[in-house]
Amino acid sequence: MPRLATCPRGELTTQWQKIFDHLPPRGVKRQVLERAIAYELRAKAFGGLSRRSLASEGR
């Protein structure tokens, strides 16, 4: 996993495009880019939310 905190913003944008198949929203803060990318990379590596977690989201 890349060190997102030290990546140039252009590299974060490239990672976002690879993951989400589109550019990040205009004006999105760097911290949002880092967190969204980190979550998606972890979900891909270790699996996403459990079915139980997903079910509790629909309360």
Side-chain angles (χ1 to χ4, degrees), residues 3-56:
R3 301 240 348 135
L4 299 175
T6 60
C7 286
R9 186 174 177 96
E11 190 172 329
L12 291 175
T13 300
T14 300
Q15 285 291 326
W16 181 285
Q17 285 180 283
K18 287 180 184 175
I19 293 169
F20 298 107
D21 291 328
H22 59 83
L23 288 169
R26 187 170 295 216
V28 70
K29 295 184 184 253
R30 180 185 177 91
Q31 187 177 29
V32 173
L33 289 173
E34 291 174 9
R35 288 181 178 194
I37 292 167
Y39 176 83
E40 292 297 326
L41 292 174
R42 282 192 297 266
K44 184 177 180 181
F46 304 111
L49 294 173
S50 68
R51 290 176 193 241
R52 184 175 177 184
S53 294
L54 292 171
S56 68

